[in-house]
């Protein structure tokens, strides 16, 4: 798999959900509480304002989409949001129930698709961690055609009980999440991972590690795969990703193992083999060091375990960076 696909798959739980909202009211205002997942809104008709719990308000027009990848609580309103508006916000579930009366195309002033994704934040990939609290994707003609196509298809399927819709809608929602994150990465000028995945050397190395994380990788073998010297790979990878290739691989193997523990019934020995560990004992020791609990307990407690979110740290200074390189340059493989 590629990095973005793996980053999403490793934290996704169950199926996403969505609903279509209509209202003919004016001066409406509703609040969505924070949750352990991601949420989105797509305006199909009219406009609205989004005010995250921390951050500036964002105005959405027809065709605009907004993704809240960290489940940030926020207020939706049809007017500019101030402190008085926030104080009057009706809880979302109550507001949605109030709008459940029959839809009339002559009276609907606002229409939107809203949805959420259930996510397991333990060990989330730094690509996901670096996403901003609010991603606003304006509807601009010609931009991100795959995103616009997914929105159009989802608008057709939502609330329509067509044959196969129980499969079509969750699949479209999965596509929508990928396309929204991809669109942000394309336009981002500050994202670390946007830079990493557009650098040919680092991107090739990451693609190789994610395609076969269980392989017997070494710095030399990975450098050959990327078509550069070992020193060049190590420096470019660490500069863009925040740690050297073998350190990232060790972290990713265990993060991938956590997802397998959560989503499958495979025995520990099989999972250890899938992520490149020679024995279940070596795997268990490494897993406990990263997640603070044994693989068995992690699996038993499922998503209720409040394990540490352990993502690769970026070097904080040039001195720290070169110390990091000196420390790992002789560490050629991952056990």
């Amino acid at each position: 798999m590629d990095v973005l696909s793996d980053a999403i798959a490793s934290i996704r739980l169950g199926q996403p959900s969505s609903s279509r909202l209509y209202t003919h009211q004016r001066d409406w205002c509703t609040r969505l509480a924070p949750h352990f997942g991601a949420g989105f809104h797509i305006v199909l008709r009219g406009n609205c304002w989004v005010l995250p719990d921390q951050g500036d308000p964002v105005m959405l027009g027809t065709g605009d989409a907004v993704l809240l990848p960290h489940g940030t609580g926020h207020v939706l309103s049809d007017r500019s949001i101030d402190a008085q508006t926030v104080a009057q916000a009706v809880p979302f579930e109550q507001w949605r129930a109030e709008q459940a009366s029959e839809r009339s195309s002559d009276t609907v002033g606002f229409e939107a698709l809203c949805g959420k994704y259930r996510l397991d934040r333990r060990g989330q990939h730094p690509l996901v961690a670096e996403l901003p609290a609010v991603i606003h994707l304006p509807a601009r003609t010609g931009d991100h055609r795959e995103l616009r196509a997914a929105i159009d298809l989802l608008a057709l399927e939502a609330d329509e009980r067509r044959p196969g819709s129980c499969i079509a809608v969750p699949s479209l929602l999965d596509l929508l999440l990928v396309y929204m994150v991809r669109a942000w990465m394309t336009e981002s000028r500050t994202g670390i991972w946007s830079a990493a995945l557009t650098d040919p050397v680092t991107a090739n190395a990451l693609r190789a590690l994610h395609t076969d994380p269980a392989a017997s990788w070494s710095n030399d073998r990975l450098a050959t795969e990327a078509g550069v010297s070992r020193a060049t790979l190590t420096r470019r990878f660490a500069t863009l990703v925040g740690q050297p290739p073998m350190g990232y691989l060790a972290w990713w193997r265990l993060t991938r193992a956590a997802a397998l523990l959560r989503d499958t019934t495979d025995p520990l020995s099989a999972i250890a083999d899938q992520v490149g560990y020679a024995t279940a004992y070596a795997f268990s020791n490494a897993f406990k060091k990263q997640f603070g609990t044994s693989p068995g307990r992690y699996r038993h407690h499922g998503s209720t375990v409040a394990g540490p979110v352990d993502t690769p740290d970026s070097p904080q200074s040039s001195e720290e960076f070169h110390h990091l390189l000196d420390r790992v340059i002789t560490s050629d493989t991952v056990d």
Side-chain angles (χ1 to χ4, degrees):
M1 295 177 74
D2 63 275
V3 177
L4 178 56
S5 298
D6 271 339
I8 293 174
S10 66
I11 60 174
R12 184 176 54 189
L13 293 171
Q15 289 190 339
S17 60
S18 67
S19 59
R20 193 166 189 155
L21 300 179
Y22 310 96
T23 184
H24 62 275
Q25 291 182 348
R26 293 185 177 181
D27 296 331
W28 57 268
C29 184
T30 181
R31 170 166 173 75
L32 292 88
H35 65 97
F36 293 104
F40 71 86
H41 304 290
I42 300 168
V43 178
L44 302 178
R45 183 187 305 193
N47 56 69
C48 70
W49 288 84
V50 178
L51 175 63
D53 287 352
Q54 295 180 343
D56 298 325
V58 177
M59 183 177 182
L60 303 181
T62 300
D64 285 6
V66 64
L67 173 68
L68 298 101
H70 307 296
T72 304
H74 58 286
V75 170
L76 284 178
S77 176
D78 69 339
R79 60 194 185 280
S80 182
I81 300 173
D82 52 24
Q84 182 179 1
T85 305
V86 172
Q88 297 173 347
V90 178
F92 180 73
E93 294 302 327
Q94 176 185 336
W95 181 78
R96 185 172 64 174
E98 293 171 354
Q99 309 308 312
S101 58
E102 284 191 25
R103 174 196 177 191
S104 169
S105 60
D106 295 330
T107 59
V108 169
F110 177 76
E111 182 178 352
L113 289 172
C114 304
K116 64 172 59 176
Y117 303 87
R118 296 175 58 227
L119 303 177
D120 181 354
R121 296 292 183 180
R122 296 171 295 171
Q124 71 177 348
H125 196 281
L127 184 155
V128 176
E130 81 165 2
L131 295 174
V134 178
I135 296 176
H136 178 206
L137 299 167
R140 293 193 291 261
T141 303
D143 284 1
H144 312 300
R145 288 177 295 176
E146 68 276 15
L147 174 59
R148 309 322 307 180
I151 289 173
D152 291 343
L153 287 171
L154 191 57
L156 288 173
E157 290 287 344
D159 287 348
E160 294 286 346
R161 297 186 177 181
R162 299 180 178 183
S165 62
C166 291
I167 293 177
V169 171
S171 298
L172 287 171
L173 289 171
D174 286 338
L175 277 176
L176 183 69
L177 179 59
V178 172
Y179 289 160
M180 286 192 288
V181 175
R182 183 191 290 173
W184 177 83
M185 293 178 66
T186 300
E187 298 186 358
S188 172
R189 299 293 182 267
T190 59
I192 294 172
W193 281 86
S194 298
L197 294 178
T198 54
D199 175 72
V201 172
T202 305
N204 285 339
L206 285 166
R207 187 179 302 109
L209 295 179
H210 279 259
T211 298
D212 190 5
S216 299
W217 290 109
S218 68
N219 284 319
D220 286 333
R221 178 181 174 184
L222 193 59
T224 299
E225 187 78 20
V228 294
S229 69
R230 169 177 165 164
T232 297
L233 170 67
T234 303
R235 290 186 180 277
R236 288 176 70 166
F237 193 102
T239 298
L240 292 171
V241 174
Q243 68 171 13
M246 296 301 105
Y248 175 85
L249 175 61
W251 172 83
W252 173 245
R253 283 175 168 176
L254 294 171
T255 301
R256 175 63 185 144
L260 292 171
L261 287 167
R262 184 192 68 212
D263 298 337
T264 75
T265 59
D266 294 348
L268 294 190
S269 58
I271 292 177
D273 183 64
Q274 289 179 65
V275 297
Y277 282 85
T279 66
Y281 178 78
F283 162 65
S284 295
N285 284 341
F287 188 93
K288 188 172 183 179
K289 183 178 180 181
Q290 179 165 311
F291 285 92
T293 188
S294 69
R297 288 180 178 175
Y298 187 98
R299 167 175 274 170
H300 176 72
H301 292 291
S303 60
T304 63
V305 175
V309 177
D310 188 3
T311 56
D313 296 323
S314 299
Q316 299 300 309
S317 66
S318 177
E319 180 181 355
E320 182 180 347
F321 169 66
H322 288 293
H323 173 70
L324 177 64
L325 288 182
D326 292 340
R327 180 159 52 87
V328 301
I329 198 70
T330 57
S331 179
D332 188 60
T333 60
V334 177
D335 294 330

